[in-house]
Amino acid sequence: MLKEFIGDLHIHTCLSPCGDKDMVPTRIVKEAQNLGLNFIGISDHNSVENIFAVKKVGEKFGVKVLGGIEITSEEEVHILAFFDEDWSLVKIQEIVYENLGNEENDETLFGEQLIIDENDRIIGKNRRFLIGATELKVEEIVDVIHNLDGLAIAAHVDRESFGIIGQLGFIPKELKLDAVEVSKKIQNSKFKIQNLPVVSFSDAHRIEDIGKSFTTFFLEEVTVNEIKKALLNQDGRGVI
Amino acid sequence: MKLKEIVKELNLKVITAKDSLDKEVIGGYASDLLSDVIANSKDSNIWVTLQIHQNIVAVASMKNLSGIILVNAREPEKDTVEKAEQENIAIMASNLPAFEVIGRLYALGICGKKQC
């Protein structure tokens, strides 16, 4: 049966150097539950290493968690990717790390990159320069995401820095994005940018920002495939 | 000043649109944020950037820029080269970083404002 699902797919954990230290699985999921979100997405910069912990906590609290990643392209454009399958997350991680270079994070300058378990315990630190750019161009990133059955969304296109329109002037016509994200909540689901469906999510780096922007989807269940159908208005699915 | 004089003075490698070097250069603009180039570059400017995505050609064409200089020996992507040939936009590469390229252009009398 089709019904409404409210989701905020763009949430960082304490793994992102710019993410608050209290962006830990239990706090994130509880906040989402308190706000009445049906699902959330975890999308740290260039890394998926905290997703599995958040997924476990999500299951406990009845909040669906989609695993994702916010990839920085060579042009310094941020692309969000979400996947249903854990193997896709593992694979995208491999590809991103191969293309991220060998520079190390300087945590005094950029912030700590904490890896945590489902009990919010710190189990390690990521040493890579996660805030850096990969050597993948936007077209390659979108192709890789789709080859792994993922959802590709250009992040915060309403922002100058790291948004695709700010960096590249406009969205390349050939780029097969599934949607574009704006940071501010928009009310009109008919609104499109360069003919692409528009969604809005919070890009939360702090607990209090979770759910500040969200999108309501009409779906059978929360999966990447269902969301893709909704973005295309297929089979009765849609964005509300 | 014509593009071909700049090519000679800065020892640039011409990658695309080799027959467009008679274009007149009036001033220059340097930025890697393409939205900024769209907003602030002027007709016949030469553009200094490290971006190699094919959108640089569309932006140069739209703003009627005289040509694009890529810094740090950056190589344009294949589709960028194809688009630049189609649109007759000269892409030239320098081995030097942006700071040196811009400094040398300025020394040749190419400036960012109407008068240096």
Side-chain angles (χ1 to χ4, degrees):
Chain A
M1 200 186 68
L2 293 165
K3 57 177 190 157
E4 289 182 21
F5 291 91
I6 304 169
D8 179 1
L9 281 179
H10 193 167
I11 297 173
H12 291 265
T13 74
C14 54
L15 174 59
S16 293
C18 40
D20 253 17
K21 273 207 195 78
D22 53 3
M23 289 298 261
V24 293
T26 311
R27 300 233 16 218
I28 292 171
V29 170
K30 277 189 179 164
E31 180 68 12
Q33 194 191 38
N34 286 341
L35 292 168
L37 296 174
N38 303 110
F39 67 101
I40 57 171
I42 296 298
S43 46
D44 281 309
H45 292 294
N46 295 313
S47 184
V48 304
E49 290 187 51
N50 274 348
I51 282 165
F52 304 103
V54 186
K55 277 191 173 186
K56 279 185 198 158
V57 176
E59 268 170 42
K60 213 161 71 186
F61 287 86
V63 175
K64 168 83 181 181
V65 177
L66 280 184
I69 184 167
E70 184 173 23
I71 306 171
T72 310
S73 78
E74 180 192 60
E75 305 88 357
E76 304 209 333
V77 170
H78 286 178
I79 304 282
L80 294 167
F82 298 96
F83 304 92
D84 286 327
E85 304 289 340
D86 289 348
W87 68 263
S88 303
L89 290 165
V90 172
K91 189 71 202 164
I92 195 91
Q93 183 69 91
E94 247 176 63
I95 296 167
V96 168
Y97 281 169
E98 272 167 24
N99 287 283
L100 193 56
N102 295 319
E103 220 172 318
E104 283 203 12
N105 183 45
D106 182 338
E107 60 180 37
T108 58
L109 286 177
F110 299 102
E112 290 183 296
Q113 301 178 156
L114 304 174
I115 302 170
I116 36 175
D117 69 9
E118 65 269 29
N119 299 311
D120 302 341
R121 279 187 306 229
I122 299 169
I123 53 172
K125 278 185 183 181
N126 189 309
R127 306 273 168 207
R128 293 172 189 271
F129 190 48
L130 295 182
I131 205 70
T134 65
E135 286 172 8
L136 298 163
K137 57 176 189 160
V138 280
E139 285 83 356
E140 288 173 321
I141 292 173
V142 171
D143 282 349
V144 163
I145 295 169
H146 286 154
N147 288 341
L148 295 169
D149 299 324
L151 182 67
I153 300 174
H156 41 66
V157 301
D158 51 337
R159 274 197 244 146
E160 181 174 87
S161 44
F162 304 113
I164 191 164
I165 297 172
Q167 296 295 136
L168 291 179
F170 59 94
I171 301 169
K173 237 192 300 173
E174 302 81 5
L175 197 62
K176 295 180 182 62
L177 289 165
D178 297 303
V180 297
E181 178 214 47
V182 294
S183 321
K184 294 236 166 66
K185 176 80 187 113
I186 44 151
Q187 302 298 334
N188 185 353
S189 65
K190 301 276 181 285
F191 178 56
K192 293 204 169 196
I193 294 177
Q194 283 188 237
N195 267 327
L196 290 162
V198 178
V199 290
S200 54
F201 304 125
S202 70
D203 193 7
H205 289 72
R206 304 177 303 174
I207 291 289
E208 57 266 39
D209 291 334
I210 294 172
K212 278 212 171 141
S213 288
F214 57 86
T215 300
T216 307
F217 295 89
F218 200 56
L219 310 166
E220 176 109 24
E221 55 177 339
V222 180
T223 63
V224 162
N225 208 22
E226 283 283 310
I227 292 173
K228 278 191 186 179
K229 280 187 182 175
L231 293 168
L232 294 167
N233 281 314
Q234 281 176 351
D235 304 335
R237 277 81 170 163
V239 180
I240 295 165
Chain B
M1 184 174 280
K2 287 192 190 305
L3 268 184
K4 60 183 176 192
E5 294 168 67
I6 292 172
V7 167
K8 199 174 142 225
E9 292 289 339
L10 270 69
N11 194 22
L12 302 175
K13 181 175 142 198
V14 182
I15 300 169
T16 63
K18 292 190 169 69
D19 49 6
S20 75
L21 301 181
D22 277 323
K23 280 187 193 168
E24 197 67 37
V25 176
I26 305 167
Y29 198 73
S31 179
D32 303 320
L33 209 54
L34 274 61
S35 54
D36 170 54
V37 180
I38 293 172
N40 295 312
S41 66
K42 302 273 185 296
D43 198 280
S44 296
N45 275 178
I46 190 152
W47 173 21
V48 180
T49 185
L50 55 71
Q51 287 281 10
I52 51 176
H53 188 273
Q54 57 168 325
N55 276 18
I56 61 175
V57 178
V59 170
S61 206
M62 181 166 97
K63 297 291 293 186
N64 196 30
L65 305 181
S66 54
I68 304 167
I69 301 181
L70 300 180
V71 298
N72 278 346
R74 300 262 291 172
E75 302 250 349
E77 288 156 10
K78 191 166 152 277
D79 41 14
T80 308
V81 171
E82 284 166 11
K83 278 245 159 72
E85 293 293 1
Q86 279 168 26
E87 300 276 328
N88 201 32
I89 298 288
I91 297 179
M92 299 150 286
S94 170
N95 293 329
L96 300 171
F99 203 88
E100 272 69 21
V101 170
I102 296 161
R104 287 177 193 202
L105 286 170
Y106 197 86
L108 288 175
I110 307 288
C111 27
K113 293 181 178 175
K114 275 196 178 129
Q115 283 182 323
C116 292

